[in-house]
Amino acid sequence: MRRAPVHLHFTSKLSLNAAGKHVRDGLSTILRTGDNLWVSCDERTSIERLRRTGPHEYGQHCSYALTTLLDLPSGAEEEIDIEGLAEADHYLWIVGSHSRKRKKPKPEEKDEAAQIARLAEVKQEANRYLLARVPLLLNAQTGDYELHREAPHPTDPTRVLRAAQLHRTSTSNELLDVLAEDPHLNPFLAIPGKDNGFDIEGLAAAPDGRLFIGLRGPVLRGWAIVLEVLLGEDKHGRLRLQPLTGATHKYYKKHFLSLGGMGLRELRQRGADLLLLAGPTMDLDGTIAVYCWPDALRCPQDSLIDDKKLIRLFDVPHGSGPTAGQDKAEGMAVLDNEHVLVVFDTPTDARKPAPHQIVADSYLLPALPAQATAAK
């Protein structure tokens, strides 16, 4: 598969979190709007914006603290674990993992019993249960897209764009509340994400307002899951789930995809199709691939999408041997009709040719088979 390097340049003053982790070492999602790339690190409460500075270069790093745009329950004290970004109708959509965390043991510590006990500790962090939108507007003078807490609509003077988030409780939100009654997903809500528990890692927004939420886990007997929802704003400025036409469960559709045991890492809309970045649901090295789900935006009801209805476009290399545990493809942006850009969590040193720089990969998308294009 034809690929080309793309260099992302970050600014030293904006690149480290409180624990000293560099944003380039934990990229979890990436989105393009115009000449800008939006990226996030899963251990922060900010979103980073880069600008195209050359044919294969992005720089001019700008950081937006989400604590100034949204009312996060834990403020900047806890990471959001941002795992998906999407854009539609002058809004940037943001979703956290919604997953629980199991503590990591520290094998180098002498007290082995204490480290074994750590494996029994499971935490909930309120900031992770974020599903929100933020006004996203083009600054005609600079050519950059900018985020706002509130702003006039650029073409409709009767409308005001406002940041909002899904109605929530201290440790949950409305989405998880309705999924608590779901026979497929309820058993996995209390299981940590890295244990094949409930774990969001992809988001796409349709022009009509529907959101498609990709789950890294659970994977059920090899079938990955995409949730389809529609959100509306109530009189208090909160986002609420709206009834969805054709949905078996009123407020959401479930789409089961045969991805050979892989879960979703990223979703990207291209026309009526969804491009899928798929990879292991567990914390391990394994196959990572990009698929096309034709006509994904036109499913009238819950669906079972077998491998004959999916098009495997190409595989993405991952760490192995001496680089085991590294170069895990986590984010994918559509650069144009023919190319996608993939970024990696835990990148190898080879991807870091200079301080505050990271190398992503641009892939040329293969042409769809004749039967897929004829169906459009």
Side-chain angles (χ1 to χ4, degrees), residues 55-266:
H56 304 287
E57 303 275 342
Y58 287 83
Q60 299 182 17
H61 180 192
C62 173
S63 184
Y64 285 88
L66 289 180
T67 50
T68 66
L69 298 169
L70 298 165
D71 298 320
L72 301 179
S74 300
E77 300 302 312
E78 289 179 355
E79 65 184 37
I80 299 174
D81 198 18
I82 298 172
E83 295 290 354
L85 298 172
E87 179 272 329
D89 195 26
H90 307 294
Y91 282 110
L92 179 72
W93 288 89
I94 305 159
V95 68
S97 67
H98 286 61
S99 66
R100 300 190 182 195
K101 290 172 59 177
R102 186 180 300 279
K103 282 201 170 184
K104 293 182 180 179
K106 300 177 181 178
E108 68 277 6
E109 297 289 335
K110 293 182 178 180
D111 190 344
E112 192 172 82
Q115 298 313 307
I116 292 174
R118 284 175 66 89
L119 274 173
E121 296 182 41
V122 175
K123 292 177 58 180
Q124 284 183 276
E125 295 179 347
N127 278 358
R128 287 174 167 241
Y129 302 104
L130 178 72
L131 177 54
R133 69 180 193 201
V134 176
L136 174 73
L137 296 174
L138 178 65
N139 184 324
Q141 293 182 331
T142 66
D144 287 319
Y145 282 84
E146 299 173 345
L147 300 182
H148 305 265
R149 191 174 182 107
E150 183 175 304
H153 192 282
T155 60
D156 185 350
T158 66
R159 292 178 58 192
V160 176
L161 303 172
R162 294 185 177 88
Q165 53 204 81
L166 186 63
H167 178 55
R168 60 186 303 146
T169 59
S170 59
T171 57
S172 184
N173 64 20
E174 190 175 37
L175 176 63
L176 293 184
D177 289 346
V178 299
L179 294 180
E181 304 299 322
D182 187 272
H184 294 102
L185 294 172
N186 173 55
F188 297 90
L189 295 180
I191 300 174
K194 296 298 187 291
D195 299 347
N196 195 39
F198 188 84
D199 190 9
I200 293 174
E201 280 214 14
L203 184 67
D208 62 7
R210 288 175 296 152
L211 297 178
F212 291 79
I213 300 170
L215 303 187
R216 179 172 174 172
V219 171
L220 304 181
R221 192 143 187 160
W223 293 79
I225 302 170
V226 172
L227 301 175
E228 180 183 341
V229 300
L230 179 66
L231 302 184
E233 187 176 339
D234 68 14
K235 63 181 180 180
H236 302 292
R238 301 172 301 190
L239 298 179
R240 306 301 297 265
L241 292 170
Q242 304 298 305
L244 196 60
T245 302
T248 302
H249 299 277
K250 184 176 180 179
Y251 291 115
Y252 61 96
K253 293 178 189 173
K254 286 184 295 188
H255 305 290
F256 295 87
L257 283 66
S258 179
L259 294 174
M262 291 183 282
L264 280 309
R265 298 291 186 92
E266 188 81 279

Side-chain angles (χ1 to χ4, degrees), residues 326-349:
Q326 296 180 281
D327 272 3
K328 299 177 178 180
E330 290 280 350
M332 179 175 67
V334 175
L335 291 179
D336 54 44
N337 287 334
E338 297 181 338
H339 297 85
V340 293
L341 183 66
V342 175
V343 293
F344 300 82
D345 189 12
T346 319
T348 59
D349 289 342

